[in-house]
Amino acid sequence: MKTPPADLAERLLDASEQVLFTDPPPRLEDVAQLVGASRATLYYYFSGRDDLLTFLLTAHARRGAAAIQGAINSDDPPELRLRAMVAAMAGYLGHHPGMCAGLLTALGTTGRLNDVLQANDIWIAAPLRELLADGRETKAFAVDDIADAANALLGAVLLGVLGRSISGADATDLRFQQRLSEQVVRGILTR
Amino acid sequence: MKTPPADLAERLLDASEQVLFTDPPPRLEDVAQLVGASRATLYYYFSGRDDLLTFLLTAHARRGAAAIQGAINSDDPPELRLRAMVAAMAGYLGHHPGMCAGLLTALGTTGRLNDVLQANDIWIAAPLRELLADGRETKAFAVDDIADAANALLGAVLLGVLGRSISGADATDLRFQQRLSEQVVRGILTR
DNA sequence: CCATGATTTAGACTGTAATCTGGACTCGGA
DNA sequence: TCCGAGTCCAGATTACAGTCTAAATCATGG
């Protein structure tokens, strides 16, 4: 992937929901038209459809990670930080259901789109695991295998949000995010 | 979809992990060869790739539902039933990571493969929701929106299992299923 | 045994979308 | 002005899903 110029990247990100959360998946030609470029240009910067998706999802992962970081007060105890983190995740995903869909697709494709998974692991999952480890240290969390717990937690948030988006309900509703966060965090807390 | 004869269906189900959990996704010709039939035969019974995937995932949903039902003692209180249900889900999925992948893909495609989602809703999600409603009745579970809670729960199990499969760890390990079930159920229980 | 219809197949054909090719257009520096 | 790197695009090529046909095979009742 040749990193695309800033303005093209911008327009691609702006169109990303159209690209990721549309049925049927748009042809590269349509994507090109959507961002005011030609199909060949996309192929100039990206080695193909998968590479483009990887770019979009990776960028979202970074943005999401930034949003999540911003929602956390690092002085708080682990339990509070976890609540904030999960709520922020749900918030970001709720505004970008396409990212949910894209991530799940990436998980489903087993290998292709590996870079997406890696990026998400670095930007989203790793901080979560770190937090879980912290909480385990202070006996706030009852976690045995941290990686497994993190996977389950992420899955709950992803499908919780996506399910709501698909059903037409409002996934950006704060009370919804609250409840989801509550359910997810309770699964981790020591009794 | 013309329902395929029993032996062909059998062979397709046997090959389903190859079909669902392979990278890159196999061409229809390869699938045909895998089950010892011709491409034309597949098109005789299925209207296309999506129809075939729908068949496989729907069949798995039914089998999974049967396995889950079999693991539940309907006289038990909701909490016990939920533990058993989640453990059975994890068990079935652990042995069929391809189903995890296929389901997630179906969720990611937003519309295409809708029948898969519907089948899973009927066979897997609906019983779960019913159980959650039961438990709420007896004050065993603290659930507000049952559909949302069920989505999150299913997501945790799906990604928990798939994540483990992808990482190469053994997703059929009983202790793993135990821990996953514990985490997921705790999120639901009243304090 | 034959007749009939259902199943299965090889193979040719079509259409669509991904991918590749070659060239054109910038623009900063020599 | 010329060069070359970076950028962009129109059109050719390729791969494969999907469609169709005509023939082969099988099953079953008469």
Side-chain angles (χ1 to χ4, degrees):
Chain A
M1 184 204 296
K2 234 173 287 199
T3 52
D7 63 328
L8 177 59
E10 184 71 25
R11 272 171 292 154
L12 281 170
L13 266 302
D14 287 347
S16 64
E17 284 298 311
Q18 291 289 319
V19 177
L20 295 169
F21 201 51
T22 264
D23 178 56
R27 298 171 302 150
L28 265 286
E29 167 122 31
D30 299 334
V31 176
Q33 192 176 345
L34 215 52
V35 301
S38 92
R39 214 173 64 253
T41 299
L42 293 184
Y43 279 102
Y44 177 75
Y45 290 109
F46 306 105
S47 70
R49 171 182 226 90
D50 289 349
D51 199 29
L52 172 60
L53 293 182
T54 299
F55 168 76
L56 292 177
L57 289 170
T58 305
H60 270 302
R62 272 198 293 263
R63 291 190 175 195
I68 290 167
Q69 269 310 316
I72 291 181
N73 183 345
S74 56
D75 296 332
D76 285 341
E79 177 176 344
L80 270 185
R81 271 187 286 160
L82 184 59
R83 280 179 202 281
M85 182 179 266
V86 172
M89 276 180 194
Y92 188 85
L93 291 173
H95 286 91
H96 302 90
M99 193 194 172
C100 296
L103 268 182
L104 293 181
T105 304
L107 279 162
T109 56
T110 328
R112 214 169 28 106
L113 300 180
N114 236 330
D115 293 347
V116 173
L117 300 184
Q118 204 177 328
N120 261 276
D121 194 74
I122 292 174
W123 294 100
I124 310 287
L128 172 59
R129 287 196 298 266
E130 206 174 318
L131 175 48
L132 290 181
D134 269 15
R136 180 165 67 176
E137 202 72 28
T138 69
K139 312 283 189 200
F141 300 155
V143 205
D144 188 342
D145 184 310
I146 285 184
D148 287 344
N151 284 339
L153 196 156
L154 288 172
V157 176
L158 271 173
L159 254 75
V161 171
L162 184 62
R164 201 151 219 264
S165 297
I166 287 180
S167 76
D170 177 15
T172 68
D173 178 63
L174 284 181
R175 273 189 304 278
F176 159 70
Q177 294 171 10
Q178 198 77 33
R179 292 199 308 268
L180 178 56
S181 169
E182 185 64 24
Q183 175 180 346
V184 162
V185 172
R186 268 194 197 175
I188 300 285
L189 292 179
T190 46
R191 292 176 185 282
Chain B
M1 186 207 297
K2 233 175 289 199
T3 52
D7 63 329
L8 176 59
E10 183 72 25
R11 271 172 293 153
L12 280 170
L13 267 303
D14 286 348
S16 65
E17 285 298 311
Q18 291 289 318
V19 177
L20 295 169
F21 202 52
T22 264
D23 177 55
R27 298 173 303 156
L28 246 23
E29 167 124 33
D30 300 333
V31 176
Q33 193 177 346
L34 213 54
V35 300
S38 89
R39 209 164 62 91
T41 300
L42 292 185
Y43 277 105
Y44 181 73
Y45 289 109
F46 305 104
S47 70
R49 173 185 224 88
D50 287 351
D51 199 31
L52 173 58
L53 292 182
T54 299
F55 168 76
L56 292 177
L57 289 170
T58 306
H60 270 302
R62 270 198 294 264
R63 290 190 175 194
I68 291 167
Q69 270 309 318
I72 292 181
N73 183 345
S74 55
D75 297 331
D76 284 341
E79 177 177 343
L80 270 185
R81 270 186 288 159
L82 184 59
R83 282 179 199 280
M85 181 180 267
V86 172
M89 276 180 196
Y92 189 84
L93 292 173
H95 286 90
H96 302 90
M99 192 194 173
C100 296
L103 269 182
L104 293 180
T105 303
L107 279 163
T109 57
T110 329
R112 212 169 29 107
L113 301 180
N114 237 329
D115 292 347
V116 173
L117 300 184
Q118 203 177 329
N120 261 277
D121 194 73
I122 292 173
W123 295 100
I124 310 286
L128 171 59
R129 286 195 298 265
E130 206 173 318
L131 174 50
L132 289 182
D134 269 16
R136 180 165 67 175
E137 204 71 29
T138 68
K139 313 282 188 201
F141 301 155
V143 206
D144 188 342
D145 185 309
I146 285 184
D148 286 345
N151 285 339
L153 196 155
L154 288 173
V157 176
L158 271 172
L159 253 75
V161 171
L162 184 61
R164 201 152 221 265
S165 297
I166 287 181
S167 75
D170 177 16
T172 67
D173 178 64
L174 285 181
R175 272 188 305 277
F176 160 69
Q177 294 171 10
Q178 197 77 31
R179 291 198 309 268
L180 178 56
S181 169
E182 184 64 23
Q183 175 180 347
V184 161
V185 172
R186 269 194 196 176
I188 300 286
L189 293 178
T190 47
R191 291 177 184 282

